[in-house]
């Protein structure tokens, strides 16, 4: 039981953004997607979530091709948390979260009390039950992110895809959000693919990593193994320093260019 | 678990508030409806009204109206009140739907070109030499539907399949039919036909009769039931295409179904009453201020409020002066200041 991503190719306006991406996502683990700005992380996540369609290649979800799974059924398997969300209407937080129950509802039906309870449980799990009657548009970036994570939980999917959930968050909230995600993964045994900018966060929270460079997979494997000097240098086109903290934990930083350093001093 | 059980009551309470608001507005609508049967050149007393309402079944079974109160009640006021409230209600509910689907509080049902198509069709009907009584309405309806289908097929040919393409295609088709309408006005006979076109476009319910009303009700009521029962889908589509898709909605299909139903309803209304401005824009906003954005409540409430508003405006239109004022003048004159007041007074970030 896994998502198999096979030879995905995708391009905007003729030029290929993703050339040949293949890797697997299993259950009960967190997978980090690393790569520079504009390398196609968001696009890849949207393709896996069925929002975009790949030009060629295949996504196999639990032994079935993504194209042969109906939209509603796919939503029961995969939940997608967008990077940011612009809403035009002032729904309450609970209303937003209960929308995650849609894959289980018919065309003419509405969420039942049971669905509302599942939504509230999801809010509880994420720890934002107190926000449930607030106007979602007035929330801060971090709170909004948590609302969408709660919605993904209410969706009861086997896999959750998160597109840079820490992008707009402050230092503490980045850890808070990622801690909540690890808690859900260990409690519900779901598979999570998460795109991140900070390799240190990826190392702290995820089990496996996938590095995307120039449209293909640069490295793929155990987080600790792939975070090498060489891989990181290729990935970010920069001199990277891997140092070791106490207990042998890696810490990754960018080596400042000398002239620039002098100027700062 | 205890916490969840305690909050369940709260959730039910919220539903109750929404339902209560809808019931209260329904009551207000009934009062307005009965009052509008009384007012006019020929004043009917409440006693007469009650008597006449009691006699409605008799009239339906073929009893002919003879006395002046009977004639005015059955032939003029009752069909007109039903027509005015239905048209207003339909325009408002489709306004809510379009704003939800297009994620834009400024969208209105005319965005896909249905209104321009109807106007062109009506003008064509006025110019044609045939004397067939319903030709104007039929052509208005047909061209309203044609324009929406043109918009949809144009958007479908385009590479970008999103909402923006639909809006732009709607603008193209609207402009085309506006140009065609201007041409018809230019060639129209300036003493008979041109005023007829202009008055048709300003809207009014003076064409009401039982044939109109019953055709309209038969075509519109099933659509309204369908729309309200699909309110949950509207909620999700209003989050945006990508979100809706990842929540398991076949966005293109559902959007097509909803917009075609709504356009059908609007074309049916506009072909009877002419264009009625502002209702489809203002009433959805007023409704959201009262009951929030959950379409489960917004759709039915806008239906009731839109009906009441249009009915009141129509009463003013036919009683203010000795001749009838075209209704669009009044909906804009009343609607615009009300809307402005609401915009300035709103406290919360509502859209």
């Amino acid at each position: 039981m896994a998502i198999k991503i096979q030879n995905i190719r995708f391009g905007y306006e003729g030029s290929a953004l993703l050339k040949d991406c293949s890797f697997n996502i299993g259950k009960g683990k967190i997978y980090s997607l690393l790569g520079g700005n504009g390398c196609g992380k968001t696009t890849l996540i949207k393709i896996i979530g069925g929002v975009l369609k790949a030009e060629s290649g295949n996504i196999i979800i639990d032994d079935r091709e993504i194209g042969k799974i109906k939209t509603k059924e796919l939503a029961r398997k995969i939940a997608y948390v967008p990077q940011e969300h612009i809403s035009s209407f002032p729904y309450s937080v609970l209303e937003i979260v209960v929308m995650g129950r849609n894959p289980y509802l018919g065309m003419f039906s509405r969420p039942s009390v049971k669905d509302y309870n599942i939504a509230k449980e999801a809010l509880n799990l994420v720890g934002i039950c107190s926000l449930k009657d607030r106007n979602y548009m007035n929330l801060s970036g971090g709170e909004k992110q948590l609302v969408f994570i709660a919605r993904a939980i209410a969706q009861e999917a086997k896999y959750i895809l998160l597109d840079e959930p820490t992008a707009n968050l402050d230092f503490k909230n980045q850890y808070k959000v990622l801690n909540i995600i690890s808690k859900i993964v260990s409690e519900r045994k779901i598979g999570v693919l998460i795109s991140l900018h900070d390799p240190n966060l990826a190392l702290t929270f995820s089990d496996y990593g996938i590095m995307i460079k120039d449209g293909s997979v640069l490295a793929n494997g155990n987080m600790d193994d792939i975070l090498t000097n060489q891989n990181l240098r290729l990935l970010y086109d920069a001199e990277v320093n891997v140092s070791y903290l106490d207990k042998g934990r890696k810490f990754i930083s960018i080596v400042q260019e000398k002239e620039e350093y002098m100027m700062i001093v | 678990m205890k916490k969840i059980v305690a909050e369940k009551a709260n959730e039910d309470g919220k539903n109750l508030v929404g339902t209560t608001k809808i019931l209260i507005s329904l009551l207000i609508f009934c009062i307005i409806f009965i009052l509008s049967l009384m007012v006019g050149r020929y004043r009917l007393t409440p006693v007469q009204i009650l008597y006449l309402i009691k006699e409605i079944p008799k009239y339906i079974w073929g009893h002919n109206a003879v006395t002046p109160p009977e004639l005015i009640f059955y032939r003029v006021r009752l069909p007109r009140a039903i027509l005015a409230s239905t048209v207003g209600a339909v325009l408002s509910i489709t306004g809510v739907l379009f704003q939800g689907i297009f994620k834009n509080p400024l969208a209105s049902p005319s965005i896909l070109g249905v209104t321009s198509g109807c106007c062109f069709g009506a003008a064509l009907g006025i110019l044609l030499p045939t004397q067939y009584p319903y030709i104007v309405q039929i052509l208005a309806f047909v061209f309203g539907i044609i324009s929406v289908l043109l918009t949809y097929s144009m958007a479908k040919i385009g590479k970008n399949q999103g909402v923006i393409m639909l809006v732009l295609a709607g603008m193209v088709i609207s402009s085309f039919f506006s140009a065609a309408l201007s041409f018809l006005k230019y060639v129209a006979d300036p003493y008979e036909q041109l005023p007829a076109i202009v008055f048709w476009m300003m809207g009014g319910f003076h064409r009401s009769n039982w044939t109109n009303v019953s055709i309209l009700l038969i075509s519109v009521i099933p659509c309204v039931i369908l729309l309200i029962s699909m309110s949950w889908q509207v909620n999700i589509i209003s989050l945006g295409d990508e979100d809706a898709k990842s929540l398991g909605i076949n966005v293109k299909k559902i959007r097509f179904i909803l917009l075609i139903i709504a356009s059908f309803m609007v074309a049916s209304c506009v072909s009877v009453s002419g264009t009625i401005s502002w209702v489809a824009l203002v009433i959805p906003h007023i409704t959201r201020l009262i009951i929030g954005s959950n379409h489960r409540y917004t759709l039915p409430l806008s239906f009731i409020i839109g009906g009441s508003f249009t009915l009141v405006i129509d009463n003013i239109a036919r009683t203010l002066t000795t001749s009838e004022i075209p209704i669009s003048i009044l909906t804009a004159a009343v609607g615009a200041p009300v809307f402005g007041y609401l915009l300035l007074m709103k406290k919360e970030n509502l859209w």
Side-chain angles (χ1 to χ4, degrees):
Chain A
M1 296 303 246
I3 303 182
K4 291 176 188 146
I5 291 108
Q6 297 171 340
N7 313 99
I8 289 300
R9 189 188 159 82
F10 187 88
Y12 290 107
E13 289 148 14
S15 65
L17 180 67
L18 300 170
K19 286 168 194 157
D20 185 13
C21 282
S22 308
F23 56 93
N24 294 347
I25 303 168
K27 276 190 190 154
K29 295 273 188 282
I30 299 183
Y31 294 74
S32 282
L33 199 55
L34 295 170
N37 282 125
C39 77
K41 295 191 296 286
T42 301
T43 308
L44 189 55
I45 284 185
K46 282 183 185 170
I47 290 172
I48 300 170
V51 176
L52 290 176
K53 211 167 169 249
E55 280 167 19
S56 64
N58 230 334
I59 309 271
I60 313 257
I61 298 158
D62 295 346
D63 302 322
R64 282 172 68 195
E65 267 181 54
I66 195 166
K68 289 179 183 152
I69 303 175
K70 279 192 180 158
T71 326
K72 203 156 247 181
E73 206 190 332
L74 186 65
R76 281 179 226 151
K77 292 181 184 291
I78 298 184
Y80 163 61
V81 179
Q83 185 177 348
E84 55 177 351
H85 185 261
I86 302 147
S87 174
S88 311
F89 297 106
Y91 292 114
S92 79
V93 167
L94 186 64
E95 274 165 11
I96 293 268
V97 175
V98 89
M99 286 184 197
R101 298 302 297 160
N102 184 62
Y104 305 92
L105 299 174
M107 195 164 176
F108 299 106
S109 52
R110 297 195 181 94
S112 61
V113 174
K114 185 183 147 231
D115 292 314
Y116 274 99
N117 283 339
I118 291 171
K120 278 174 203 154
E121 233 173 283
L123 282 170
N124 250 339
L125 196 63
V126 177
I128 50 168
C129 229
S130 54
L131 298 179
K132 89 181 164 61
D133 293 321
R134 287 269 302 278
N135 175 353
Y136 148 80
M137 283 165 94
N138 296 338
L139 300 182
S140 73
E143 288 167 334
K144 274 188 193 172
Q145 200 56 253
L146 290 175
V147 170
F148 279 91
I149 291 171
R151 193 183 74 183
I153 294 167
Q155 209 170 324
E156 293 185 332
K158 294 171 190 157
Y159 304 95
I160 299 184
L161 314 172
L162 299 108
D163 191 6
E164 286 176 31
T166 57
N168 299 316
L169 305 186
D170 72 29
F171 192 55
K172 188 201 89 185
N173 277 330
Q174 295 188 353
Y175 280 82
K176 189 180 169 191
V177 166
L178 290 171
N179 267 322
I180 286 166
I181 293 167
S182 344
K183 193 175 102 184
I184 302 154
V185 169
S186 60
E187 268 180 32
R188 306 220 164 171
K189 298 289 167 226
I190 50 178
V192 165
L193 178 68
I194 178 169
S195 71
L196 287 171
H197 274 311
D198 185 351
N200 292 308
L201 282 177
L203 181 62
T204 315
F205 288 100
S206 55
D207 309 284
Y208 297 101
I210 298 120
M211 292 179 167
I212 305 282
K213 173 72 182 173
D214 295 332
S216 42
V217 177
L218 175 77
N220 172 11
N222 229 328
M223 205 66 227
D224 206 38
D225 298 340
I226 61 166
L227 283 181
T228 61
N229 240 322
Q230 198 199 357
N231 277 347
L232 288 162
R233 194 168 58 226
L234 281 170
L235 189 66
Y236 294 113
D237 282 326
E239 268 317 306
V240 174
N241 181 27
V242 179
S243 48
Y244 289 87
L245 307 174
D246 3 327
K247 294 176 193 166
R249 225 173 72 86
K250 278 182 183 170
F251 180 78
I252 294 131
S253 55
I254 299 266
V255 178
Q256 303 276 2
E257 281 171 33
K258 246 188 189 146
E259 283 162 58
E260 208 179 321
Y261 182 69
M262 296 286 283
M263 274 168 66
I264 292 165
V265 169
Chain B
M1 278 318 281
K2 230 176 200 172
K3 206 174 170 191
I4 288 169
V5 173
E7 274 156 8
K8 187 187 136 197
N10 193 0
E11 179 56 39
D12 289 350
K14 203 181 165 198
N15 287 353
L16 209 65
V17 171
T19 318
T20 317
K21 281 178 179 169
I22 289 175
L23 287 177
I24 291 172
S25 58
L26 198 61
L27 190 70
I28 295 173
F29 169 76
C30 292
I31 295 168
I32 292 175
F33 192 88
I34 291 171
L35 285 179
S36 46
L37 295 173
M38 286 160 59
V39 297
R41 293 274 109 189
Y42 189 104
R43 218 163 283 277
L44 292 169
T45 62
V47 180
Q48 277 173 313
I49 291 288
L50 285 178
Y51 172 75
L52 288 165
I53 288 174
K54 239 176 27 198
E55 298 291 292
I56 286 176
K58 214 165 122 192
Y59 183 75
I60 291 172
W61 296 119
H63 176 75
N64 268 339
V66 187
T67 61
E70 274 180 345
L71 281 169
I72 285 165
F73 184 83
Y74 293 122
R75 292 274 173 83
V76 183
R77 297 228 176 120
L78 192 58
R80 182 165 181 149
I82 294 175
L83 183 72
S85 43
T86 314
V87 170
V90 166
L91 288 177
S92 309
I93 197 171
T94 51
V96 170
L97 182 78
F98 271 68
Q99 292 178 4
I101 286 181
F102 286 94
K103 278 186 78 175
N104 188 334
L106 292 175
S108 76
S110 55
I111 207 166
L112 295 181
V114 59
T115 319
S116 331
C118 283
C119 288
F120 172 79
L124 195 66
I126 292 168
L127 290 199
L128 284 180
T130 156
Q131 291 300 310
Y132 183 66
Y134 288 104
I135 189 75
V136 176
Q137 284 170 33
I138 291 170
L139 282 179
F141 178 78
V142 168
F143 276 94
I145 294 295
I146 286 177
S147 63
V148 173
L149 292 178
L150 280 177
T151 301
Y152 236 102
S153 16
M154 192 177 154
K156 198 150 191 173
I157 294 166
K159 202 182 168 197
N160 180 348
Q161 294 277 302
V163 166
I164 300 289
M165 190 62 206
L166 209 51
V167 174
L168 293 176
M171 279 173 70
V172 170
I173 301 296
S174 285
S175 313
F176 175 77
F177 276 109
S178 301
L181 174 67
S182 295
F183 177 75
L184 289 186
K185 279 186 188 165
Y186 174 70
V187 298
D189 159 30
Y191 298 103
E192 294 276 329
Q193 296 169 331
L194 187 59
I197 295 175
V198 170
F199 276 113
W200 190 91
M201 281 175 32
M202 285 195 282
F205 300 112
H206 49 270
R207 283 179 291 266
S208 58
N209 57 44
W210 282 114
T211 324
N212 274 339
V213 168
S214 40
I215 291 175
L216 185 67
L217 285 180
I218 289 167
S219 55
V220 153
I221 286 173
C223 297
V224 171
I225 294 169
L226 204 61
L227 279 193
I228 292 179
S229 63
M230 284 174 81
S231 59
W232 174 251
Q233 313 272 317
V234 183
N235 271 354
I236 292 177
I237 286 184
S238 76
L239 291 181
D241 282 17
E242 284 186 358
D243 258 41
K245 211 169 170 184
S246 75
L247 289 175
I249 284 202
N250 190 337
V251 182
K252 273 183 218 161
K253 189 175 117 194
I254 303 280
R255 189 162 57 207
F256 179 76
I257 295 174
L258 288 172
L259 290 182
I260 288 298
I261 295 173
S263 301
F264 171 80
M265 290 161 74
V266 172
S268 320
C269 286
V270 174
S271 60
V272 180
S273 66
T275 43
I276 290 164
S277 58
W278 274 88
V279 174
L281 192 63
V282 179
I283 301 300
H285 287 283
I286 295 175
T287 312
R288 260 186 233 112
L289 281 174
I290 295 174
I291 210 160
S293 282
N294 188 343
H295 288 89
R296 174 176 177 184
Y297 303 110
T298 319
L299 285 173
L301 187 67
S302 72
F303 189 75
I304 300 167
I305 294 184
S308 320
F309 176 80
T310 315
L311 201 52
V312 170
I313 298 289
D314 184 49
N315 289 340
I316 299 172
R318 65 190 172 84
T319 52
L320 200 61
T321 58
T322 41
S323 68
E324 192 179 320
I325 303 169
I327 190 147
S328 265
I329 298 175
L330 287 173
T331 49
V334 176
V338 167
F339 188 42
Y341 173 78
L342 289 175
L343 282 181
L344 296 176
M345 285 297 129
K346 73 167 184 168
K347 291 186 192 84
E348 231 194 321
N349 186 7
L350 273 172
W351 56 78

